[in-house]
């Protein structure tokens, strides 16, 4: 891709971003708050645990600044978005992933920072409500 | 520091596996530099992934995502599709990268 096309794309994308995502709505639960408050803000207090939502975190992380996390909701149907909550972090909501197309597998893998040993929760927003899965990670050296 | 995007998109068992590594410090606004000054918060807060110009995924990372974010997602598609990633940081900085599926 040449430079001109790249710039065009970038600008188009930025417009699309600001148009669809209301920033204030995100900030609502992306800030400094308790993990449980964040979960109830996202789910509206109604969520069920399910084995179909798979959350993969290491049991023991040596380096808290690079903890690999995988959220796999492919066994669920009608997944609109997934959230990852790291309970002991100052900002517990680490990531929100919105699936905008049927062409996307409800799957995401990334790395997060963890300050200390913590419970980790994944939330999937499906057509039939909110589904959660829990895990926990021990951190020997915090990375926040 | 140059903020590069390393991209890799490959067909594997019928799905496009897209892997990204974005060079970005992801400052939380709590770290101090060598002289004891707090480093200002600077992190990517929006990522969009497009396939052939159509929006596929939208991600909202928080500052608690690791520095130099790594990302792995899966899409339906075929060889030769163009996958684009765009990111915007809380400071308004932007970058993008387009890659062809191998």
């Amino acid at each position: 891709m040449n430079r001109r096309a790249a710039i065009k794309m970038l600008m188009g994308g930025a417009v699309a971003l600001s148009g669809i995502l209301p920033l204030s709505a995100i900030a609502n639960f992306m800030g400094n708050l308790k993990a449980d408050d964040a979960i109830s803000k996202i789910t509206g207090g109604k969520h069920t645990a399910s084995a179909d939502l798979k959350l993969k975190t290491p049991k023991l992380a040596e380096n808290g600044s690079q903890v690999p996390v995988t959220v796999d909701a492919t066994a669920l149907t009608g997944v609109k978005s997934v959230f990852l909550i790291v309970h002991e972090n100052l900002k517990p909501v680490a990531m929100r992933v919105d699936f905008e197309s049927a062409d996307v597998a409800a799957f995401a893998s990334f790395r997060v920072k963890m300050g200390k040993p913590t419970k980790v929760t994944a939330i999937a927003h499906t057509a039939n409500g909110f589904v959660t899965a829990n895990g926990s990670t021990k951190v020997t050296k915090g990375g926040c | 520091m140059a903020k590069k995007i390393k991209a890799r998109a490959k067909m594997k068992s019928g799905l496009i596996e897209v892997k990204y590594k974005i060079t970005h410090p992801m400052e939380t606004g709590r770290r101090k530099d060598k002289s004891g000054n707090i480093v200002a918060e600077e992190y990517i807060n929006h990522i969009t992934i497009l396939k052939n110009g159509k929006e596929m995924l939208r991600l909202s990372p928080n500052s608690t995502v690791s520095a130099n974010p790594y990302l792995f997602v899966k899409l339906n598609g075929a060889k030769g599709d163009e996958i684009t990633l765009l990111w915007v940081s809380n400071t308004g900085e932007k970058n993008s990268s387009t890659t062809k599926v191998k």
Side-chain angles (χ1 to χ4, degrees), chain A residues 110-132:
Chain A
F110 45 90
R111 290 174 189 155
V112 295
K113 297 171 201 155
M114 291 181 186
K116 49 185 159 180
T118 176
K119 195 176 149 189
V120 184
T121 302
I123 304 174
H125 183 193
T126 72
N128 308 316
F130 290 92
V131 171
T132 57

Side-chain angles (χ1 to χ4, degrees), chain A:
Chain A
M1 185 165 67
N2 63 33
R3 186 176 162 273
R4 192 167 292 264
I7 290 170
K8 248 188 197 165
M9 208 136 194
L10 202 62
M11 287 175 72
V15 169
L17 275 174
S18 57
I20 305 161
L21 270 181
L23 281 168
S24 53
I26 298 274
N28 236 341
F29 52 79
M30 280 288 194
N32 300 351
L33 40 85
K34 290 254 165 62
D36 293 334
D37 295 343
I39 294 173
S40 54
K41 264 191 180 165
I42 293 166
T43 62
K46 278 185 199 161
H47 53 86
T48 48
S50 166
D52 285 339
L53 177 63
K54 287 183 188 74
L55 169 67
K56 213 169 117 193
T57 58
K59 279 204 176 72
L60 185 76
E62 209 165 277
N63 180 0
S65 67
Q66 293 272 353
V67 185
V69 175
T70 302
V71 183
D72 187 346
T74 44
L76 295 162
T77 48
V79 181
K80 292 172 196 158
S81 51
V82 295
F83 299 81
L84 185 85
I85 286 115
V86 182
H87 285 245
E88 298 295 334
N89 277 0
L90 216 63
K91 292 179 173 178
V93 183
M95 178 77 100
R96 168 193 174 146
V97 185
D98 291 298
F99 303 103
E100 298 294 329
S101 162
D103 276 350
V104 185
F107 171 95
S109 181
F110 45 90
R111 290 174 189 155
V112 295
K113 297 171 201 155
M114 291 181 186
K116 49 185 159 180
T118 176
K119 195 176 149 189
V120 184
T121 302
I123 304 174
H125 183 193
T126 72
N128 308 316
F130 290 92
V131 171
T132 57
N134 290 318
S136 74
T137 295
K138 275 194 177 143
V139 182
T140 47
K141 185 172 166 278
C144 251

Side-chain angles (χ1 to χ4, degrees), chain B residues 32-96:
Chain B
K32 285 177 183 161
D33 66 11
K34 275 179 193 156
S35 46
N37 302 315
I38 287 178
V39 180
E41 190 173 51
E42 186 190 355
Y43 62 96
I44 295 172
N45 55 5
H46 294 305
I47 297 175
T48 302
I49 296 174
L50 307 126
K51 186 182 82 182
N52 299 332
K54 206 174 147 253
E55 190 171 33
M56 294 283 123
L57 275 155
R58 207 178 317 138
L59 298 100
S60 313
N62 208 338
S63 58
T64 50
V65 169
S66 298
N68 300 331
Y70 161 86
L71 190 61
F72 174 25
V73 294
K74 295 175 182 175
L75 310 169
N76 282 331
K79 252 184 196 182
D81 283 348
E82 278 193 344
I83 310 290
T84 305
L85 173 136
L86 305 142
W87 64 253
V88 183
S89 77
N90 65 330
T91 54
E93 200 181 338
K94 307 179 184 88
N95 202 355
S96 79

